[in-house]
Amino acid sequence: MIFKVYYQELITEVPVREKTKTLFIEANSERDVRTKLAKNPYNIEFVTPVDNAFLEYEKQKEDFTVLEIE
């Protein structure tokens, strides 16, 4: 399953909408996503599964890439 992660680049940053970044990652669950990203200094705001029409919409964006972290 593919998840969309909303995050700040530094764990010390306060979440501000204008500075929020996103990435897509393949994982089995939200817990798996957070485990895979634990070594990064990200302040993760929100993790949501992406499927069906939402996934097709996201794929149309030119910067759409899915991270594959083991």
Side-chain angles (χ1 to χ4, degrees):
M1 178 174 257
I2 297 176
F3 290 85
K4 185 173 186 177
V5 180
Y6 297 85
Y7 70 98
Q8 304 295 315
E9 286 190 322
L10 299 173
I11 195 128
T12 57
E13 282 187 71
V14 175
V16 177
R17 182 181 357 187
E18 291 80 15
K19 294 183 180 181
T20 298
K21 300 189 185 234
T22 60
L23 63 82
F24 295 90
I25 187 168
E26 191 165 342
N28 295 323
S29 65
E30 180 179 340
R31 182 180 205 168
D32 191 24
V33 169
R34 291 180 181 275
T35 301
K36 289 180 177 186
L37 294 176
K39 65 182 175 185
N40 297 313
Y42 298 153
N43 182 4
I44 298 174
E45 292 180 46
F46 188 67
V47 178
T48 185
V50 179
D51 58 4
N52 302 328
F54 186 33
L55 179 59
E56 292 306 315
Y57 171 76
E58 293 291 352
K59 283 182 178 180
Q60 292 175 9
K61 296 181 181 178
E62 63 185 52
D63 62 342
F64 178 82
T65 55
V66 177
L67 296 178
E68 294 180 21
I69 301 173
E70 296 299 320

